[in-house]
């Protein structure tokens, strides 16, 4: 098979002292941390759309990046070579997983039947490459947002015909994800939102979105696909307002429509910050509500208000994220998927490797830092102390539902002004810095 990245060898762990810019300084896949290997904890995944297909286009100009695997007239030849390049990259990076949209891996044809045939050809090859390399599918998904037919959404489209197209496309994507042994399936609401309420029936759109998801749940059971379903929140972009705004919003939606047992969330760092939250907040919300599923590990830019999808390099954020993830018991079927793209000026193939090596090391450091925070119980002790009142008689009575307003009023009349304690935020932040 052709080698597409001959300038890069397999990336190996060389330790913190290494000066090799194409080696891991912290990610040591077999190193055991809190009872599991780093590879088992972190479950790194490469995303197909940005890493293999992204060419650096932005609203002001087309792509700047030329790849050796897409220099061909025939779109199926390009798809074939891209897949080979992809598995070479996955293997050289040593990631265990990949993720794709149906349309990333195989181009659309003139009608759905032909499109599905093309998809089958590429999926067959992907299955072979997975078997040869041991790289697994973390999740599959449907691109029901790029084609012009989806300009007004898929499940929330005002036209039932577009809804039917989206359903057909999801049906097929579920089948191929199942065939490839995918551990999950993501629903990101592409253009499921609105640009003006003046032309929008919001209630109907949300009901229809739920209908589409319920159909997916039914079909999943029918074909025996046992992978985990995820919803991925994002507050805006491409529409002004996306219905699956943030974790809290998705949670309410799933509960309202009785879908909460069938879905967890896929939390993307850049989407969290676009929603005005921290990455850690969205993870913590999910953990507190038992809906933490998977993670799209990237970052935004503090000064840019859109989805820049940059590779994660912030050790502070990665530490806080891993702290929440570890405390929640880990990612189970999920993983850390690098839904991130190299910058428009990073035009060399080697930049893809620098990007992933840096991101993997960032999360490896986050994992090691978080593990020490947990072992030392530094913050557990602070939190336990802060809430210790709930172990007393009053706290127990409130939490067990034994008392109501009248008894609590009586308590205050008898005992007077409550005692209050310092929150110690500065101390907490100083202690955190000891681990970074
Ligand atoms: C776009 C989303 C998308 C999903 C998968 O902003 O991040 O890439 O992860 O459809
Ligand atoms: Ca994403
Ligand atoms: Ca994104």
């Amino acid at each position: 098979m052709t080698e597409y990245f001959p300038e890069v060898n397999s990336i190996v762990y060389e330790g913190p002292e290494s000066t090799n810019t194409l080696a891991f300084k912290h990610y040591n896949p077999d190193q055991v941390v809190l009872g599991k290997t780093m590879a088992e904890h972190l479950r790194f995944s490469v995303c197909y759309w940005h890493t293999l297909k992204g060419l650096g286009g932005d609203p002001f100009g087309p792509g700047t990046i030329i790849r050796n695997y897409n220099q061909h007239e025939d779109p199926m030849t390009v798809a074939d070579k891209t897949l080979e390049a992809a598995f070479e990259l996955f293997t050289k990076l040593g990631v265990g997983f990949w993720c794709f949209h149906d349309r990333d891996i195989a181009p659309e044809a003139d009608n759905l039947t032909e499109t599905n045939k093309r998809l089958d050809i590429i999926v067959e090859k992907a299955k072979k490459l997975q078997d040869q390399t041991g790289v697994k599918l973390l999740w599959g998904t449907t691109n029901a947002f790029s084609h012009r037919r989806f300009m007004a959404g898929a499940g929330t489209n005002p036209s039932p015909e577009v809804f039917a197209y989206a359903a057909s496309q999801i049906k097929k994507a579920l089948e191929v994800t199942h065939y490839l042994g995918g551990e999950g399936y993501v629903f990101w609401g592409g253009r499921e939102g609105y640009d003006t309420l003046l032309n929008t029936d919001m209630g109907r759109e949300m009901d229809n979105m739920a209908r589409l998801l319920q159909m997916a749940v039914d079909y999943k059971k029918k074909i025996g696909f046992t992978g985990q379903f995820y919803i991925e929140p994002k507050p805006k972009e491409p529409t002004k307002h996306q219905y699956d705004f943030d974790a809290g919003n998705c949670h309410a939606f799933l509960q309202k429509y009785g879908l909460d047992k069938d879905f967890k969330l896929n939390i993307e760092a850049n989407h969290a910050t676009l929603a005005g939250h921290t990455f850690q907040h969205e993870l913590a919300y999910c953990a507190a509500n038992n809906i933490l599923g998977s993670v799209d590990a990237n970052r935004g830019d503090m000064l840019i208000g859109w989805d820049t999808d940059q590779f994660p390099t912030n050790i502070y954020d990665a530490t806080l994220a891993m702290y929440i993830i570890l405390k929640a018991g880990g990612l189970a079927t999920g993983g850390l998927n690098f839904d991130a793209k190299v910058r428009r000026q990073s035009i060399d193939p080697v930049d893809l490797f620098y990007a992933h090596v840096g991101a993997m090391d960032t999360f490896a450091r986050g994992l090691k830092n978080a593990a020490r925070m947990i072992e030392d119980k530094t913050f557990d002790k602070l939190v336990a102390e802060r809430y210790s009142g709930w172990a007393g008689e009053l706290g127990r009575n409130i939490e067990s539902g034994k008392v109501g307003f009248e008894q609590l009023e009586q308590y205050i009349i008898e005992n007077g002004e409550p005692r209050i304690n310092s929150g110690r935020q500065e101390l907490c932040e100083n202690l955190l810095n000891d681990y970074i």
Side-chain angles (χ1 to χ4, degrees), residues 1-253:
M1 206 149 68
T2 321
E3 199 179 4
Y4 296 91
F5 304 103
E7 63 277 60
V8 181
N9 298 322
S10 289
I11 312 289
V12 294
Y13 172 72
E14 292 185 4
E17 306 307 323
S18 171
T19 53
N20 180 357
T21 52
L22 285 173
F24 296 119
K25 296 191 171 75
H26 298 276
Y27 179 56
N28 184 4
D30 301 324
Q31 185 181 329
V32 175
V33 177
L34 295 180
K36 281 201 280 184
T37 65
M38 284 187 141
E40 287 166 341
H41 276 294
L42 296 166
R43 295 168 61 84
F44 289 131
S45 161
V46 168
C47 90
Y48 209 88
W49 49 103
H50 291 314
T51 290
L52 279 306
K53 304 287 288 181
L55 300 176
D58 74 7
F60 302 93
T64 49
I65 298 171
I66 299 162
R67 299 281 184 226
N68 57 10
Y69 51 79
N70 64 12
Q71 304 304 307
H72 209 280
E73 289 288 308
D74 171 41
M76 279 302 279
T77 307
V78 171
D80 185 81
K81 288 173 184 282
T82 306
L83 194 73
E84 290 179 2
F87 276 82
E88 183 188 327
L89 179 130
F90 304 157
T91 332
K92 285 185 169 173
L93 282 171
V95 295
F97 298 92
W98 65 306
C99 293
F100 67 84
H101 298 84
D102 47 5
R103 302 300 175 250
D104 302 333
I105 57 171
E108 280 206 52
D110 293 338
N111 57 60
L112 188 65
T113 309
E114 289 306 312
T115 299
N116 285 350
K117 280 190 197 155
R118 285 182 167 186
L119 189 57
D120 284 335
I121 293 170
I122 298 296
V123 163
E124 207 47 57
K125 176 150 179 162
K127 175 113 172 98
K128 287 206 183 78
L129 289 166
Q130 284 192 163
D131 291 345
Q132 276 165 27
T133 60
V135 176
K136 294 187 201 150
L137 180 59
L138 187 66
W139 47 262
T141 187
T142 310
N143 178 334
F145 46 86
S146 292
H147 193 281
R148 65 192 289 276
R149 75 174 76 86
F150 296 121
M151 66 181 184
T156 64
N157 201 286
S159 156
E161 292 179 19
V162 179
F163 182 101
Y165 201 102
S168 319
Q169 206 180 313
I170 295 168
K171 172 179 177 288
K172 180 68 181 172
L174 282 172
E175 289 164 10
V176 305
T177 299
H178 181 36
Y179 181 69
L180 290 171
E183 301 201 4
Y185 189 91
V186 162
F187 294 83
W188 166 59
R191 293 179 194 272
E192 315 293 16
Y194 63 81
D195 290 310
T196 170
L197 283 172
L198 295 173
N199 66 9
T200 302
D201 181 347
M202 189 196 271
R204 170 180 248 148
E205 292 201 355
M206 294 184 71
D207 289 350
N208 285 344
M209 188 66 225
R211 284 193 182 94
L212 187 71
L213 296 179
Q214 184 59 57
M215 287 180 197
V217 170
D218 295 344
Y219 193 65
K220 171 191 184 194
K221 289 181 183 148
K222 182 161 186 197
I223 61 174
F225 175 49
T226 54
Q228 175 65 49
F229 273 1
Y230 309 104
I231 292 211
E232 179 178 328
K234 182 173 185 178
K236 55 191 163 194
E237 199 198 348
T239 69
K240 171 170 85 175
H241 179 97
Q242 304 268 130
Y243 292 132
D244 32 19
F245 195 93
D246 63 2
N249 192 147
C250 288
H251 189 214
F253 174 90

Side-chain angles (χ1 to χ4, degrees), residues 50 232 234 268 270-271 274 296 298 307-309 339:
H50 291 314
E232 179 178 328
K234 182 173 185 178
E268 179 178 315
N270 201 168
H271 298 180
L274 278 179
D296 275 1
N298 64 6
D307 195 18
T308 60
D309 286 335
D339 187 352

Side-chain angles (χ1 to χ4, degrees), residues 298-339:
N298 64 6
R299 70 181 156 112
D301 183 296
M302 207 169 49
L303 302 180
I304 300 179
W306 67 84
D307 195 18
T308 60
D309 286 335
Q310 286 167 248
F311 276 86
T313 54
N314 187 318
I315 294 154
Y316 199 95
D317 287 346
T319 301
L320 292 173
M322 288 314 300
Y323 185 64
I324 303 284
I325 291 169
L326 288 177
K327 289 197 68 100
L331 286 169
T333 55
L336 296 175
N337 172 48
F338 295 117
D339 187 352

Side-chain angles (χ1 to χ4, degrees), residues 373-388:
M373 286 159 67
I374 288 174
E375 277 165 346
D376 293 352
K377 297 194 166 56
T378 308
F379 299 94
D380 279 342
K381 283 183 203 150
L382 279 160
V383 172
E385 172 60 26
R386 190 155 182 248
Y387 291 82
S388 57

